[in-house]
Amino acid sequence: MRNQATGRFDGFPADFLWGCSTASYQIEGGTSSGGRGPSIWDAFCREPGRVLGGQNGDFACESHRRWPEDVELLRELGVGAYRFSVAWPRIQPAGRGKPLQAGLDHYARQADALLEAGIEPWATLYHWDLPLALEEAGGWPERETALRFAEYADLCFRALGGRVKRWATLNEPWCSAFLGYGTGEHAPGRRDRAAAYRAAHHLLLGHGLAVRAFRASGAGGEIGIVINPATPRPATARPEDRLAAERASEERTALWLGPIYGGAYPERHLAAQGAAMPIEAGDMAAVAEPIDFVGVNYYNEDAVRAVPAGPEAPEGFAYAPTWQDKTEMGWDIEPRGLLRVMSHIAKTWSPKALYVTENGAAFRDEPDAAGRIRDLDRIAYLRGHLAACEEAVAEGLPLRGYFVWTLMDNFEWAWGYSRYFGLVRVDQRTGERRPKASFRYYRDVVAGHGL
Ligand code: FCB
């Protein structure tokens, strides 16, 4: 809040929530335990050349078995909330039909332990592990997948709704649609831009139908969506670069929040892509089912410039080189971008609440002689972004909480186990967890309720 007299930041509101995020496929391992069915990521990892080093999530952090240790770490960290994801193939191994009790019990037990530790469980229903059987039937480009997702979500609300009070339907649907079906960098690895747009609509439809099911279930609590919005900077002040920057933002931001907040898909964008959405009667009303919050995953901000549209740049823009320091992912470190993207969302769509649902950085994390990780670069990254959150609150944006990505080093998708975002190091051979300096830093932030 801003102090009326001094105009300066006066601290985070008392109910500001501090948390930490993970995702099922990245940490659980135990991919055939408890009757879990295969997901698109299990299959993708087995295709040569898809994931660095041919690695996969079979063991990951073994959290399916070691989750009590994770809860213990979270308790030490002192966070108020833990955002994890439910693995759909643990609940419905083939993506449809009767739920597996073992799967539901697993998440119920974990939620109970979190509540016991004074930590609010935040469940994401879909963090990319689609049951493989649904992909074999056509995946997200097919309407059927949206209907199956709503059914699965309903099973979760009914079984876990007493314990879990905050839900996110999807994590970063842009990645599911455009990396999964457009560029093929993520599972299922298809390269078909028209399919990516169909997937985008069905992801949103699945989201809206799930929100509807949530209200109908009477479970109580809040529900929202987690996106990875972007408002890139124009590389120069030239009008064509400004326009390019706007268009680059549309695919990541307006394409999702536009329809969710009752509008249409950005026509200019679809027209430029020659893309058509498979909209049926009633779909847009379902997509626009009111939500309680928008989750913002933020890592970096790019700069773009206009280039002639062509096969290399179908949208008529390209990323420009920047001066910013980069993380190990090659992503720019630009904390003010977090403020800019949240301001844009707040101004354009007026969400009831915003949460930073992921923010963090990969660095090399070389251990010192004593085997400790003094990850001062990660601390500096978090500090800069927390300062941007202070500013957001001071400016009156409805920012209600912040979650670090991530509790521990894990399977970083196509990068395998080569990029570390964790506050805790995980020994890849033994599964042993060891807090880094950033863990202690964030613990102090939480204890002090801010910087
Ligand atoms: C986000 C994903 C998350 C993690 C971070 C680094 O896009 O949601 O699972 O991999 O990037």
Side-chain angles (χ1 to χ4, degrees):
M1 281 164 287
R2 203 186 286 282
N3 184 300
Q4 292 306 321
T6 63
R8 308 274 293 272
F9 180 70
D10 208 16
F12 286 99
D15 58 355
F16 191 88
L17 193 59
W18 301 100
C20 200
S21 290
T22 62
S24 46
Y25 191 70
Q26 294 179 277
I27 66 163
E28 284 184 351
T31 44
S32 43
S33 310
R36 177 186 179 279
S39 78
I40 53 175
W41 272 93
D42 296 286
F44 187 72
C45 291
R46 277 168 180 78
E47 291 175 26
R50 296 294 205 176
V51 173
L52 200 70
Q55 290 168 325
N56 60 56
D58 285 357
F59 292 95
C61 307
E62 281 195 286
S63 284
H64 184 248
R65 190 167 70 75
R66 300 173 81 129
W67 61 265
E69 292 174 46
D70 301 346
V71 174
E72 208 33 55
L73 285 166
L74 292 159
R75 188 207 295 268
E76 266 176 58
L77 202 51
V79 286
Y82 177 47
R83 174 178 169 250
F84 58 92
S85 78
V86 176
W88 186 350
R90 288 197 193 281
I91 309 299
Q92 293 176 302
R96 61 181 78 227
K98 231 171 105 14
L100 272 185
Q101 200 53 45
L104 293 170
D105 288 349
H106 167 72
Y107 294 105
R109 272 196 299 271
Q110 185 183 284
D112 282 340
L114 288 165
L115 290 167
E116 170 83 5
I119 302 165
E120 197 190 317
W122 274 53
T124 302
L125 288 163
Y126 185 71
H127 201 128
W128 308 352
D129 37 7
L130 184 71
L132 185 59
L134 292 182
E135 177 56 27
E136 286 165 351
W140 286 110
E142 295 302 320
R143 190 176 180 84
E144 175 70 8
T145 304
L147 308 182
R148 294 288 67 80
F149 175 71
E151 181 186 87
Y152 148 71
D154 191 45
L155 292 171
C156 293
F157 301 142
R158 289 176 196 278
L160 304 170
R163 301 164 167 96
V164 176
K165 290 295 173 205
R166 258 148 342 155
W167 300 86
T169 53
L170 307 174
N171 178 72
E172 301 189 3
W174 177 86
C175 294
S176 302
F178 290 95
L179 302 183
Y181 295 94
T183 65
E185 289 159 76
H186 279 184
R190 283 159 62 180
R191 299 190 62 167
D192 174 351
R193 266 195 92 77
Y197 281 94
R198 289 202 305 278
H201 179 66
H202 293 137
L203 282 154
L204 279 171
L205 179 61
H207 153 83
L209 294 174
V211 174
R212 219 173 244 177
F214 177 70
R215 307 288 182 213
S217 75
E222 296 186 353
I223 191 162
I225 190 168
V226 170
I227 61 170
N228 54 331
T231 45
R233 305 182 302 278
T236 75
R238 292 187 309 161
E240 55 270 41
D241 286 346
R242 286 177 184 272
L243 183 63
E246 264 175 50
R247 293 179 58 170
S249 156
E250 280 175 352
E251 185 181 286
R252 291 272 293 268
T253 310
L255 187 66
W256 310 96
L257 293 182
I260 286 176
Y261 282 94
Y265 286 111
E267 281 310 326
R268 178 176 67 177
H269 176 81
L270 295 187
Q273 293 300 302
M277 293 301 210
I279 303 171
E280 293 189 11
D283 282 9
M284 297 314 274
V287 172
E289 203 61 49
I291 55 173
D292 301 303
F293 65 87
V294 172
V296 169
N297 288 356
Y298 178 85
Y299 292 91
N300 60 324
E301 182 189 68
D302 296 303
V304 303
R305 63 193 162 86
V307 296
E312 287 302 301
E315 294 151 327
F317 64 82
Y319 291 97
T322 54
W323 56 266
Q324 275 86 353
D325 284 338
K326 316 280 184 259
T327 67
E328 199 51 20
M329 299 296 283
W331 296 346
D332 282 11
I333 302 175
E334 184 42 79
R336 293 197 64 84
L338 173 56
L339 183 61
R340 286 190 274 268
V341 80
M342 290 197 293
S343 302
H344 172 65
I345 292 174
K347 254 191 247 142
T348 317
W349 295 288
S350 310
K352 273 193 250 170
L354 287 170
Y355 288 89
V356 174
T357 33
E358 287 180 24
N359 176 240
F363 289 109
R364 291 188 71 83
D365 287 354
E366 304 288 359
D368 68 12
R372 283 178 306 232
I373 305 248
R374 297 187 68 237
D375 50 343
L376 303 184
D377 35 18
R378 182 170 292 106
I379 291 173
Y381 179 98
L382 295 176
R383 191 163 197 272
H385 289 77
L386 287 167
C389 291
E390 283 191 343
E391 253 183 84
V393 170
E395 281 187 11
L397 302 188
L399 178 61
R400 304 280 181 260
Y402 172 93
F403 292 70
V404 170
W405 181 269
T406 181
L407 179 62
M408 57 203 156
D409 294 345
N410 59 41
F411 177 76
E412 181 46 40
W413 309 113
W415 292 95
Y417 300 94
S418 71
R419 294 295 183 278
Y420 310 124
F421 283 84
L423 301 178
V424 174
R425 181 182 183 76
V426 177
D427 185 309
Q428 225 57 73
R429 286 161 306 136
T430 63
E432 190 208 345
R433 285 123 163 88
R434 255 204 184 204
K436 306 177 192 174
S438 57
F439 180 94
R440 302 192 176 85
Y441 169 75
Y442 190 54
R443 188 188 57 192
D444 288 353
V445 168
V446 175
H449 203 58
L451 292 170

